[in-house]
Amino acid sequence: MEKNTLHTYKLVLLFACSLVLFLNTELSFLASAKTLDNDSKVYIVYLGERVHDDPELVTASHHEMLESLLESKEDAYNSMIYIYQHGFSGFAALLTSTQANKISEHPEVIHVIPNRILKLQTTRTWDHLGLSQISTPFSSSSSTSVKGLLHDTNMGSEAIIGVIDSGIWPESKVFNDQGLGPIPKRWRGKCVSGEKFNATIHCNKKLIGAKYYVSGLLAEMGGKFNRTIIQDFKSSRDIIGHGTHTATMAGGSFVSNASYYGLAQGTVRGGAPKARIAAYKACWNGVEPAGGCTTADMWKAFDDAIHDGVDVLSVSIGGGIPEDSEVDKRSYIGAFHAVAKGIPVVAAAGNAGPGAQTIVNVAPWFLTVAATTLDRSFPTKITLGNNQTFFAESLYTGPEISTGLAFLDSSSHDNVDMKGKTVLVFDSTTPITLKGVAGVIFSQKPDDLLQRCHSFACIFADYELGTDILQYIRTTRSPTVRINSATTLTGLPATTKVAAFSCRGPNSVSPAILKPDIAAPGVSILAALSPFDSREHDGFGLDTGTSMSTPVVSGIIALLKSLHPNWSPAAVRSALVTTAWRTSPSGEPIFAEGSNKKLADPFDYGGGLVNPQRASKPGLVYDMGIQDYINYMCSAGYNDSSISGMVGKITKCPNPKPSILDMNLPSITIPNLEKEVTLTRTVTNVGPIKSVYKAVIKSPLGITLTVTPNTLVFSSAAKRVLTFKVKAKTSHKVNTGYFFGSLTWTDGVHDVKIPVSVQTKIMIKV
């Protein structure tokens, strides 16, 4: 542990101020400070690579340096806290600020860094979102104390999370049932045996359901399980790893000291670590490049999940950008029935971003999740032969590489000998086929996608860094490069961004329905994988996508449903959207990666970054029931017979049809405001019985919003539901893009905020 810590620290000197967190658990404050000034603090004196191979010589040289500063051997001995003598050279000592400044001028000193006392890090997602357990050096995972939402729900021990995906790897440690009570009596599902999956052996009090669905796929293939196409187990066993990863993030049990080749080290767990998991395998390896699922199989999975009694469904699956709205509507029916039965359906926004109108899973009954980064990165030090030093990112954890450096032009693959070299490539969309290269530096637009290459080091840089390296190559006779292994950096300067790949709104099927609804971490997420997945290492791996952000929200919903079992899916969505962070948890603005980085808006992240603790006590919710969905379907053009079939009763749409703008969503999206429009919303008080809320309006540019009434008085238990109207009026005389604002109801304790998106469209009169 100590060697890894020191080695990590050595390789990221430019980020040393943040990386003190890796050291502070090992610092001993037992050194005597009697002769030192009262204002002495711990500073880390970093000296770079070791000059001496003999640790005793390194130690002696450190003591000599400190003794020359303090002019006393005894003071130097008392001041010394820790000596770094294995992976790199340096020491920690108690110094005054004056002494620290003085020693920083020593020719051998590279950096002097003030110590920061930070808590131990997990795999970061739940710490980042403020949903953490409290541990002490004397507590185990089973005795760790908890607070807030985790405490109030016993970590979701009575919740059942359904995961429709590629199956499950049951032997993973994250599916152990240690410390779990009996399976909830309301559970009606089961585990089904199949190839390499024994229901009796592989299911337990954590994994309480496992079924697989392949008939729809087989029907398309002549009825046979063709192994040349379906390269998978004919059972719930997950060969892809995708379902195992998503189930981990939703409800996986605690597994300590997990990492990916030493990166992202910490405790892996799901959002609801004591929740039960039911795996519904509807997606199969070999059908599509990353696994495919048929609608027929998906529908059956939804059908069974509704019967079995799951509390939330996590669906990290989606089609392409909708081209046929009728086909797109029909694909949502399984999810609609789940929501109609009170089961929230959490779905991925898609990975075809950052273009506008790329969002998928856009029906209003879905809770659609965008992906953000964590406040974590994997900096990789690159040193050119002229001693220029840069930091890129990678998942490379091998030994230091020192090689020649060359530029690989896309037209020169066959003409240049790259064996043993590190090559620079710009925007490569084809695999590198050259054999024997030591490393590849990919210079590309930001996409937040890191991968580990098994035969050489893959380093990812932006265009600016790539251009600097190319300039060095072109002006140097024999360019060289040294690449160090990646390390893990958490906290500032890394911060939350909407990932470049995350699909964006506006909604192309129903533009007045805001999508996505919410955002959650989905970049380089550590979780369990199948051993057949090439990215797996010791049972775990890093994966990226809105597939990863989706189960984060599913796990949080499992906790919310445990705390508020009578909340509808719409109420749950409202609680998440109205309490979300619009800045990062550290208070920094949230940007959206794309062709140009910009401040994130509702089409990037919906209500914002999910905030689990605040969502448990939202104050007010924008609730909906079946009639609200019927009104939506009428306004969206569903015919009467379709609606009647979906809701199980004869339904005739009124004339005129309901306005889609009146759908009681926790958002207001007006895609075609010509002059002015008035819409209606209803809120339900789920906080203190006697509450008074006042409206706080932030109007979009050029738009005037008027709320009537502007004060809501909830005076008794019988008066929990109140309605208000919002009038939007444009001052624009030309067609515009979208402008954004917000409407907040506040009682001084709860701030119930919804995003407002308005686009002016002037009708052309011929």
Side-chain angles (χ1 to χ4, degrees):
M1 181 71 175
E2 179 182 317
K3 287 184 178 179
N4 289 339
T5 300
L6 298 177
H7 185 60
T8 297
Y9 184 73
K10 163 189 158 188
L11 298 176
V12 223
L13 61 96
L14 292 182
F15 294 99
C17 288
S18 296
L19 288 178
V20 173
L21 62 94
F22 290 103
L23 301 173
N24 58 37
T25 59
E26 299 182 32
L27 293 177
S28 169
F29 293 97
L30 299 178
S32 171
K34 293 180 180 178
T35 60
L36 299 175
D37 293 343
N38 291 332
D39 65 342
S40 295
K41 297 179 181 179
V42 176
Y43 289 83
I44 295 171
V45 181
Y46 174 65
L47 304 174
E49 296 287 348
R50 290 183 303 166
V51 177
H52 308 289
D53 292 331
D54 186 344
E56 291 184 6
L57 290 176
V58 176
T59 300
S61 67
H62 292 171
H63 276 288
E64 288 174 6
M65 182 181 291
L66 193 56
E67 181 180 338
S68 66
L69 173 73
L70 302 180
E71 301 179 345
S72 164
K73 182 175 291 188
E74 181 181 0
D75 285 352
Y77 179 84
N78 291 334
S79 174
M80 189 73 75
I81 303 296
Y82 210 91
I83 291 176
Y84 310 123
Q85 58 189 10
H86 302 293
F88 66 97
S89 179
F91 56 89
L94 280 167
L95 302 172
T96 66
S97 58
T98 301
Q99 292 165 342
N101 288 333
K102 186 174 182 180
I103 200 171
S104 68
E105 298 171 357
H106 192 287
E108 293 180 24
V109 172
I110 297 174
H111 287 294
V112 176
I113 309 114
N115 186 41
R116 297 169 64 198
I117 307 299
L118 303 175
K119 67 177 181 176
L120 285 169
Q121 299 299 297
T122 67
T123 58
R124 198 57 190 167
T125 299
W126 305 112
D127 283 347
H128 181 59
L129 297 179
L131 191 66
S132 305
Q133 75 277 15
I134 304 172
S135 62
T136 72
F138 311 103
S139 63
S140 64
S141 60
S142 61
S143 62
T144 297
S145 61
V146 295
K147 64 176 181 177
L149 186 56
L150 284 175
H151 173 270
D152 296 342
T153 61
N154 192 25
M155 303 191 192
S157 63
E158 292 300 305
I160 302 170
I161 303 173
V163 182
I164 301 179
D165 213 295
S166 63
I168 202 112
W169 194 264
E171 291 87 356
S172 175
K173 295 176 183 178
V174 297
F175 305 126
N176 78 80
D177 62 358
Q178 181 181 354
L180 293 182
I183 295 171
K185 292 182 179 179
R186 58 192 168 82
W187 174 243
R188 298 187 299 274
K190 61 181 180 180
C191 286
V192 176
S193 295
E195 183 182 4
K196 303 294 183 181
F197 191 97
N198 186 310
T200 303
I201 296 172
H202 293 132
C203 287
N204 55 22
K205 290 184 288 185
K206 164 63 76 172
L207 180 59
I208 64 173
K211 298 179 181 179
Y212 62 98
Y213 307 88
V214 71
S215 298
L217 176 60
L218 295 184
E220 299 288 340
M221 302 175 60
K224 293 184 179 180
F225 197 91
N226 188 335
R227 297 284 184 180
T228 60
I229 298 175
I230 310 174
Q231 300 167 22
D232 209 328
F233 296 103
K234 194 176 181 182
S235 69
S236 297
R237 185 172 289 279
D238 178 20
I239 200 170
I240 299 173
H242 191 275
T244 301
H245 196 285
T246 56
T248 302
M249 291 311 300
S253 299
F254 289 92
V255 178
S256 60
N257 295 320
S259 72
Y260 182 64
Y261 293 93
L263 297 175
Q265 187 167 13
T267 298
V268 164
R269 69 169 177 89
K274 288 190 177 181
R276 319 309 168 107
I277 294 172
Y280 299 89
K281 181 177 178 178
C283 304
W284 300 84
N285 186 47
V287 180
E288 292 286 338
C293 351
T294 70
T295 303
D297 293 330
M298 289 283 295
W299 279 34
K300 184 57 180 173
F302 272 110
D303 189 41
D304 278 357
I306 293 167
H307 164 270
D308 294 345
V310 301
D311 294 303
V312 57
L313 271 170
S314 191
V315 187
S316 293
I317 302 165
I321 300 169
E323 296 178 358
D324 186 327
S325 61
E326 286 301 317
V327 172
D328 202 57
K329 290 173 187 174
R330 290 195 293 270
S331 69
Y332 298 155
I333 292 177
F336 169 80
H337 283 288
V339 170
K341 298 296 191 299
I343 304 169
V345 178
V346 190
N351 299 332
Q357 296 185 313
T358 51
I359 189 85
V360 298
N361 293 321
V362 296
W365 40 84
F366 280 119
L367 201 164
T368 310
V369 186
T372 66
T373 63
L374 290 166
D375 59 342
R376 180 178 69 191
S377 60
F378 303 108
T380 305
K381 182 181 175 184
I382 299 173
T383 305
L384 304 181
N386 61 2
N387 288 324
Q388 278 187 288
T389 299
F390 304 98
F391 281 87
E393 279 203 84
S394 78
L395 301 179
Y396 175 67
T397 55
E400 179 183 289
I401 296 172
S402 294
T403 71
L405 179 61
F407 172 55
L408 181 61
D409 188 278
S410 58
S411 62
S412 62
H413 284 209
D414 299 326
N415 302 323
V416 182
D417 180 14
M418 299 293 178
K419 188 174 182 180
K421 293 183 178 180
T422 296
V423 296
L424 172 67
V425 178
F426 279 81
D427 264 339
S428 177
T429 57
T430 57
I432 300 299
T433 56
L434 292 177
K435 296 181 180 179
V437 296
V440 177
I441 300 173
F442 294 100
S443 179
Q444 58 192 27
K445 61 184 178 182
D447 62 8
D448 301 304
L449 300 175
L450 297 179
Q451 59 180 323
R452 182 183 176 90
C453 302
H454 292 281
S455 57
F456 50 83
C458 288
I459 314 299
F460 299 89
D462 60 20
Y463 286 137
E464 182 178 357
L465 176 53
T467 301
D468 288 341
I469 296 173
L470 181 59
Q471 176 68 14
Y472 164 70
I473 293 172
R474 287 178 168 171
T475 57
T476 305
R477 183 182 298 275
S478 299
T480 61
V481 66
R482 185 169 72 250
I483 298 173
N484 295 106
S485 62
T487 58
T488 305
L489 170 66
T490 55
L492 299 175
T495 189
T496 304
K497 301 176 297 183
V498 178
F501 61 79
S502 187
C503 284
R504 308 298 211 266
N507 184 335
S508 63
V509 176
S510 296
I513 307 298
L514 177 64
K515 292 292 175 177
D517 294 289
I518 200 75
V523 175
S524 297
I525 304 299
L526 183 71
L529 284 176
S530 161
F532 285 88
D533 191 315
S534 61
R535 299 164 297 178
E536 180 268 350
H537 177 71
D538 288 343
F540 297 92
L542 296 167
D543 209 348
T544 290
T546 54
S547 285
M548 284 62 252
S549 57
T550 297
V552 170
V553 175
S554 301
I556 294 168
I557 290 177
L559 298 178
L560 294 178
K561 288 286 285 183
S562 297
L563 193 64
H564 304 289
N566 296 323
W567 277 10
S568 69
V572 170
R573 180 202 356 230
S574 175
L576 293 170
V577 171
T578 61
T579 61
W581 278 299
R582 274 74 177 183
T583 61
S584 72
S586 63
E588 298 296 322
I590 297 178
F591 283 85
E593 289 282 15
S595 55
N596 292 301
K597 185 182 290 187
K598 66 179 184 65
L599 284 172
D601 61 49
F603 294 149
D604 300 312
Y605 64 9
L609 176 66
V610 65
N611 186 335
Q613 300 290 359
R614 285 188 59 201
S616 65
K617 297 178 180 179
L620 305 176
V621 295
Y622 293 77
D623 205 358
M624 291 193 293
I626 289 295
Q627 189 58 49
D628 295 277
Y629 295 119
I630 291 174
N631 291 343
Y632 160 74
M633 288 186 278
C634 289
S635 65
Y638 286 68
N639 60 48
D640 291 348
S641 60
S642 294
I643 299 172
S644 298
M646 290 177 68
V647 300
K649 63 179 182 180
I650 297 175
T651 301
K652 186 174 179 61
C653 290
N655 189 16
K657 293 179 179 179
S659 170
I660 198 169
L661 297 178
D662 288 331
M663 192 169 191
N664 204 42
L665 294 164
S667 60
I668 294 173
T669 306
I670 306 174
N672 51 2
L673 181 62
E674 184 173 5
K675 292 181 179 178
E676 65 179 57
V677 68
T678 299
L679 52 91
T680 302
R681 288 291 185 273
T682 299
V683 288
T684 301
N685 181 18
V686 295
I689 292 175
K690 293 185 177 182
S691 300
V692 178
Y693 283 83
K694 294 185 177 181
V696 178
I697 302 167
K698 182 180 179 182
S699 294
L701 180 67
I703 307 296
T704 301
L705 296 180
T706 306
V707 179
T708 308
N710 61 8
T711 300
L712 300 176
V713 180
F714 299 91
S715 56
S716 66
K719 194 174 182 181
R720 284 187 172 270
V721 180
L722 293 176
T723 297
F724 62 92
K725 293 184 180 297
V726 179
K727 183 171 75 172
K729 184 177 181 180
T730 181
S731 62
H732 295 290
K733 304 301 181 183
V734 297
N735 292 343
T736 69
Y738 278 93
F739 292 106
F740 305 99
S742 63
L743 167 60
T744 305
W745 289 103
T746 180
D747 65 350
V749 176
H750 306 93
D751 292 326
V752 187
K753 181 179 288 188
I754 63 173
V756 177
S757 311
V758 182
Q759 178 176 243
T760 298
K761 277 195 174 181
I762 309 298
M763 295 293 292
I764 299 175
K765 297 178 181 180
V766 180

